[in-house]
Amino acid sequence: MESKNHQSDTHVVFNQPKPLENYNAFTADRILQYWVAQFGGQWGEDRLTSFGGRIGGDLLEAGMNANQFLPTFRPVDRFGYRIDQVDYHPSYHQLMAHAIEHGHCSMPWCEKNSGRHVVRAAMAFLHTHADPGSGCPLTMTFASVPALQAQADIAEKWLPKIVSGRYDGRNIPWYEKEGVTLGMAMTEKQGGSDVRANTTYATPCEAPGGGKRYSLVGHKWFCSAPMSDAFLVLAQTDHGLSCFLVPRWREDGSKNPIHIQRLKDKLGNQSNASSEIEFRDAQGWLLGEPGKGIKTIIQMVALTRYDCMIGSSALMAQATKEAIWHTAGREVFGKPLHHQPLMQNVLADLALESEAALAISMRLARALEKLDNPHEAALVRVGTAIGKYWICKRAVQHTYEAMECLGGVGYVNDNVASRLYREAPVNAIWEGSGNVQCLDLLRVLTREPDTVSVFIAELRYATGANDAFDRAVYGLEEQLGSAETLAYRARQVIEKMAILWQAATLLRYGEPDIAEAFVQARVETSEYHQYGTLPSHIDMTTIISRAMPQSSG
């Protein structure tokens, strides 16, 4: 009997797309370019092009390495001396240096150009594509500036090093470095978001008051980026909760007794070390007035919450790109997967969601540099809570749906899609969970009626273009006027405000077809749906094409 000639190699790879790599992450992203230009950041396009070239190139691999070879903790050296050192893979330092040298932490504080916050937001957005974890110390360093400015004599020493554009990851005293990074330590076991329950105590070493040295004793449940050169810390004094700058090294060159107890074993955000620490007579300097710690640090908290919006927007954008790129390289049932109608419905829905998230993040970036304008300042106040709540929560389901588009290959840990999914919850939890954002919004609604009026005005600027949107805005005003059950309905209210703010921003500043599709999918359709349930008359091909990354690889 004649034997059949079968190919002996059973591992011929076909019908698999090439990975999305070796491309410029900025010039490949038409949506990001659009919103940067829309809010005055055109002047930064050359810097962003330079930045994006490495983000889509060698730093993609650096991000994978930083998440595979995780930080390790060494409490003592080989002779038994306490060193409290966290060692990172060289790729982590590569990522940090690239971001800091391009102005990730310093641009809004050094540049005079209008749109500086927008360009910096785009830089943070792009950095997240390479590695979200290292974005944590970058964010805290950037956000620390307003809090430090509360104490002029301390700021004079520290701010030049924060905005120097230099990165130095060595474990040496801050005053021996040209550039420094800052962290934050607020959370304690018993209090969580209720920082007024903190028990860490600060005692004056000599005379009390702003800019004076104190001794801190206490325990902090979460301290991310523990190799930062200093930390902003909340601690109790005789006058109440106060804010301190606590360096890792004392001025005499000895180690400040900030003892790392352990590194947290986290679900995601793994390239970034998060620790549990104790202060044992650690020296720190009071920032601002005693007893006014929340007032001092709240500006830092507001900026880190804003960066959570940017970070989650970036996770969704990258997830969308990966899904569209992968399905474009796969064929099923006789034609490309991304041409199958049901898959197009999913991809277009993901693209709409991610662009809407970026739109309000960039709108807030523009407002941040106009804080002398009452409308813009009020929008930052209310928009940060709304945006952090909504975007960070949406990112979890969004990144999962994008991972499902890739199928089993997206679920394995050597694919970026699984990392995006593990990363997604952290921004919703960090710097105040969803309920904390709702409570913040409730305070605005009950105590700052003028701020609420500003938000409604922001929505009304977009009325007249779409009847369904107009009706929804008027409905929201009625909802906000019903105060009796507002605390119970806070999530419903904040979600409605978020969707209408996204719709308003797209209608006022976005591409008309994108705005119209978003209103049809999110405003006219009030019921909750999974991704992939868009109305049939939406032009899904155009939406997908707009989000498709333009690879040069």
Side-chain angles (χ1 to χ4, degrees), residues 378-512:
L379 182 62
V380 170
R381 172 77 178 93
V382 69
T384 303
I386 294 170
K388 184 187 183 300
Y389 173 91
W390 183 243
I391 296 173
C392 297
K393 283 193 174 298
R394 293 291 281 173
V396 180
Q397 177 69 20
H398 186 286
T399 52
Y400 157 70
E401 194 70 56
M403 182 171 62
E404 187 176 303
C405 292
L406 277 65
V409 72
Y411 192 68
V412 298
N413 282 334
D414 55 2
N415 191 298
V416 72
S418 62
R419 189 177 82 203
L420 298 177
Y421 179 59
R422 290 195 311 274
E423 188 73 27
V426 70
N427 286 332
I429 296 170
W430 190 51
E431 296 302 344
S433 64
N435 279 359
V436 170
Q437 304 311 310
C438 289
L439 292 173
D440 194 28
L441 178 65
L442 287 177
R443 280 191 289 271
V444 173
L445 294 177
T446 55
R447 301 178 188 176
E448 303 176 30
D450 291 344
T451 301
V452 180
S453 298
V454 163
F455 182 79
I456 295 298
E458 181 77 8
L459 301 185
R460 284 179 175 169
Y461 289 146
T463 56
N466 184 285
D467 290 341
F469 172 77
D470 294 356
R471 290 192 299 271
V473 171
Y474 299 136
L476 175 65
E477 292 183 62
E478 292 180 5
Q479 218 176 344
L480 292 175
S482 192
E484 295 79 11
T485 59
L486 202 53
Y488 181 78
R489 295 183 294 110
R491 286 196 174 209
Q492 292 171 284
V493 171
I494 200 171
E495 289 179 12
K496 179 66 72 176
M497 294 174 80
I499 292 171
L500 291 180
W501 183 27
Q502 289 179 322
T505 306
L506 291 170
L507 285 166
R508 190 176 175 195
Y509 302 103
E511 293 283 7

Side-chain angles (χ1 to χ4, degrees), residues 63-80:
M64 296 301 288
N65 287 336
N67 284 275
Q68 180 180 358
F69 304 103
L70 302 184
T72 56
F73 171 46
R74 288 193 292 146
V76 297
D77 67 9
R78 62 185 183 276
F79 299 110

Side-chain angles (χ1 to χ4, degrees), residues 12-27:
V12 176
V13 179
F14 63 100
N15 197 25
Q16 285 284 354
K18 293 181 179 180
L20 179 57
E21 58 187 20
N22 299 320
Y23 72 110
N24 188 302
F26 178 66
T27 60

Side-chain angles (χ1 to χ4, degrees), residues 254-467:
S254 64
K255 182 186 174 299
N256 210 9
I258 305 170
H259 291 179
I260 299 174
Q261 302 301 301
R262 59 169 174 153
L263 298 186
K264 302 288 193 177
D265 185 8
K266 299 175 294 183
L267 169 68
N269 201 249
Q270 293 184 330
S271 64
N272 171 44
S274 294
S275 64
E276 194 173 329
I277 64 172
E278 287 186 357
F279 300 118
R280 300 185 180 181
D281 188 28
Q283 293 182 2
W285 278 258
L286 178 63
L287 301 178
E289 299 177 50
K292 303 293 184 181
I294 293 178
K295 179 183 176 181
T296 301
I297 207 169
I298 196 64
Q299 297 176 78
M300 181 179 185
V301 172
L303 286 174
T304 54
R305 287 177 176 176
Y306 152 74
D307 264 18
C308 288
M309 293 172 60
I310 296 170
S312 291
S313 298
L315 293 177
M316 288 196 282
Q318 190 177 14
T320 301
K321 294 170 194 173
E322 290 286 339
I324 293 174
W325 181 264
H326 182 89
T327 55
R330 290 275 284 174
E331 185 175 294
V332 296
F333 308 126
K335 61 180 174 180
L337 180 54
H338 78 315
H339 288 168
Q340 297 284 359
L342 189 53
M343 180 57 75
Q344 285 191 321
N345 200 327
V346 173
L347 297 174
D349 213 353
L350 293 172
L352 274 181
E353 188 74 27
S354 60
E355 180 160 2
L358 177 60
I360 60 172
S361 297
M362 286 303 196
R363 174 67 184 94
L364 215 56
R366 186 72 171 119
L368 276 170
E369 57 195 57
K370 295 185 175 183
L371 294 179
D372 55 343
N373 180 313
H375 179 96
E376 301 298 295
L379 182 62
V380 170
R381 172 77 178 93
V382 69
T384 303
I386 294 170
K388 184 187 183 300
Y389 173 91
W390 183 243
I391 296 173
C392 297
K393 283 193 174 298
R394 293 291 281 173
V396 180
Q397 177 69 20
H398 186 286
T399 52
Y400 157 70
E401 194 70 56
M403 182 171 62
E404 187 176 303
C405 292
L406 277 65
V409 72
Y411 192 68
V412 298
N413 282 334
D414 55 2
N415 191 298
V416 72
S418 62
R419 189 177 82 203
L420 298 177
Y421 179 59
R422 290 195 311 274
E423 188 73 27
V426 70
N427 286 332
I429 296 170
W430 190 51
E431 296 302 344
S433 64
N435 279 359
V436 170
Q437 304 311 310
C438 289
L439 292 173
D440 194 28
L441 178 65
L442 287 177
R443 280 191 289 271
V444 173
L445 294 177
T446 55
R447 301 178 188 176
E448 303 176 30
D450 291 344
T451 301
V452 180
S453 298
V454 163
F455 182 79
I456 295 298
E458 181 77 8
L459 301 185
R460 284 179 175 169
Y461 289 146
T463 56
N466 184 285
D467 290 341

Side-chain angles (χ1 to χ4, degrees), residues 45-84:
E45 287 182 354
D46 288 345
R47 292 177 71 166
L48 291 171
T49 298
S50 172
F51 191 82
R54 290 194 62 196
I55 292 295
D58 64 305
L59 292 183
L60 281 180
E61 183 179 359
M64 296 301 288
N65 287 336
N67 284 275
Q68 180 180 358
F69 304 103
L70 302 184
T72 56
F73 171 46
R74 288 193 292 146
V76 297
D77 67 9
R78 62 185 183 276
F79 299 110
Y81 292 102
R82 187 95 196 190
I83 58 173
D84 291 289

Side-chain angles (χ1 to χ4, degrees), residues 143-152 154 184 186 196 210-211 232-235 240-245 285-303:
S144 69
V145 171
L148 288 170
Q149 288 172 334
Q151 192 63 47
I154 301 297
M184 187 192 314
M186 294 195 295
R196 294 186 187 278
L232 267 70
V233 176
L234 289 178
L241 198 63
S242 306
C243 183
F244 295 87
L245 178 71
W285 278 258
L286 178 63
L287 301 178
E289 299 177 50
K292 303 293 184 181
I294 293 178
K295 179 183 176 181
T296 301
I297 207 169
I298 196 64
Q299 297 176 78
M300 181 179 185
V301 172
L303 286 174

